[in-house]
Amino acid sequence: MFLLTPYSIPFINLPSVALASLNNLVEMRETGLYLNDLSMHDQSREMVMKGWEHCSRLQITYNKEEQNSARLEDAHRLSEEAKARGDDLLYSMLPREVADKLRQGSHAADTCQNLEEVTVLFAELILSPESEPLSALDLMRTVNGMYKMMDRTTEHYRVFKVETVGGVYMVVGGAPQYREDHCSQVGQLALRMLREVSIAAASHTLRIGMHVGPVAAGVVGVKLPRYCLFGDTVNTASRMQTNGKVGKIHISEKCAEVLQKFHFKVSFREKLNIKGKGEMNTYWLNGENNIAKADTW
């Protein structure tokens, strides 16, 4: 009695090659053996042929499984790439901390919070007079190119781009997670944005306004959820921008006080009558000292 496996075929009545392992007829002929050498009084021949047939089927099944495995790996890779693109898009719309909460099942209302102090920046893109005769499509491409450059600049600092409305670019520092150097981060960003725009297109420039104060923040909307800021701080920062000058960074008195603690260079502008705010002392942000540079990403 013997055990027949798919890859090992024992031959009986052949003392010189007893229990030899042969995989097919070719190997069998190479050893000088033939099916006729097997006993014809039992099922040895049938068992050998069935064993080889079973091995062939196993090989075919194995090859198919390898192909299925390769297709599954490709599908998994494509799925991971699509997930990464989706994550990049989500994190560009919402702060990472907020987006992760929503992905874990939290309601949008749970993301709302009162922040005691943040820095809000508005930067208005001022195009050169040469841009006026451009077609709507060419104008859109020009603005898009400037915004892409500003997006790349923003990524170097610990701030969040809230939105762009028309030609105005909005950024916040210190939200949704508070940072002691939020004003310093936004101040550095404002100075760098002015430099980058002037380098990219000398004929274009920015008019920037900044203010420091409390806000309410959270995700608003279902179809196109956005991380939004509410409060007087947002309005004041917008007033600083609209009452500023081209190529300058106009800041409030509160903002100037905080920036001076980080050794930024500020200068008094004048007392202005700001719509909805009354008279306010306003300042220019002129630069930063080397000893005051905050950490970037």
Side-chain angles (χ1 to χ4, degrees):
M1 184 174 183
F2 60 92
L3 179 63
L4 184 67
T5 65
Y7 295 97
S8 180
I9 307 300
F11 294 87
I12 57 177
N13 300 329
L14 299 169
S16 61
V17 290
L19 302 179
S21 296
L22 300 175
N23 295 317
N24 49 49
L25 287 171
V26 175
E27 292 185 9
M28 189 173 179
R29 287 196 299 270
E30 289 175 351
T31 60
L33 299 175
Y34 299 90
L35 286 177
N36 289 336
D37 295 325
L38 300 178
S39 174
M40 59 182 298
H41 302 293
D42 56 23
Q43 295 182 345
S44 299
R45 300 180 184 182
E46 289 78 3
M47 292 175 67
V48 169
M49 298 303 295
K50 287 293 184 181
W52 286 338
E53 180 182 357
H54 180 63
C55 289
S56 298
R57 290 178 179 177
L58 284 179
Q59 185 63 40
I60 294 172
T61 302
Y62 176 76
N63 291 338
K64 288 183 177 179
E65 289 303 319
E66 277 194 329
Q67 294 173 0
N68 292 336
S69 177
R71 286 194 292 266
L72 183 61
E73 288 180 358
D74 290 340
H76 179 72
R77 176 179 55 80
L78 293 174
S79 175
E80 289 297 316
E81 291 176 355
K83 180 178 180 298
R85 289 194 297 269
D87 288 344
D88 290 341
L89 178 61
L90 180 63
Y91 292 146
S92 69
M93 297 171 58
L94 303 173
R96 183 179 292 268
E97 300 87 345
V98 174
D100 289 340
K101 286 183 180 180
L102 294 178
R103 294 177 68 175
Q104 292 169 5
S106 298
H107 192 273
D110 298 332
T111 66
C112 297
Q113 57 184 157
N114 288 315
L115 302 169
E116 295 183 0
E117 185 179 274
V118 300
T119 302
V120 179
L121 173 148
F122 284 94
E124 181 183 5
L125 179 61
I126 309 296
L127 299 178
S128 65
E130 290 79 8
S131 302
E132 293 181 2
L134 293 177
S135 66
L137 183 58
D138 290 335
L139 184 61
M140 184 189 70
R141 288 171 176 166
T142 300
V143 173
N144 183 57
M146 292 293 100
Y147 278 166
K148 288 173 66 176
M149 181 276 297
M150 295 164 71
D151 285 342
R152 291 191 297 268
T153 302
T154 302
E155 290 176 354
H156 290 84
Y157 299 91
R158 299 179 184 271
V159 299
F160 178 70
K161 173 191 172 182
V162 180
E163 62 181 350
T164 54
V165 180
V168 179
Y169 193 95
M170 181 181 179
V171 172
V172 64
Q177 289 188 340
Y178 177 76
R179 290 179 55 88
E180 290 185 358
D181 64 342
H182 60 85
C183 193
S184 175
Q185 290 283 322
V186 177
Q188 288 186 76
L189 171 63
L191 292 167
R192 183 167 176 178
M193 287 171 71
L194 279 181
R195 294 194 300 267
E196 295 290 342
V197 169
S198 64
I199 294 173
S203 56
H204 303 327
T205 187
L206 299 173
R207 180 168 57 200
I208 299 177
M210 291 173 52
H211 181 55
V212 173
V215 297
V219 176
V220 175
V222 176
K223 292 292 185 180
L224 185 62
R226 300 297 299 179
Y227 185 74
C228 299
L229 306 179
F230 301 92
D232 186 64
T233 298
V234 178
N235 296 331
T236 303
S238 179
R239 296 288 185 267
M240 291 297 103
Q241 175 260 311
T242 56
N243 288 276
K245 291 184 178 181
V246 174
K248 304 280 281 185
I249 304 171
H250 192 209
I251 61 177
S252 65
E253 185 173 24
K254 173 64 175 176
C255 187
E257 292 174 357
V258 177
L259 287 173
Q260 284 179 311
K261 293 178 181 178
F262 289 93
H263 306 283
F264 281 79
K265 300 174 184 178
V266 302
S267 60
F268 179 71
R269 179 190 181 184
E270 60 180 321
K271 182 174 288 188
L272 294 179
N273 189 1
I274 304 298
K275 182 180 178 181
K277 301 296 297 179
E279 290 191 343
M280 293 181 63
N281 290 328
T282 63
Y283 295 75
W284 298 121
L285 172 58
N286 300 319
E288 58 180 325
N289 295 318
N290 292 332
I291 62 174
K293 290 189 176 181
D295 294 334
T296 57
W297 288 106

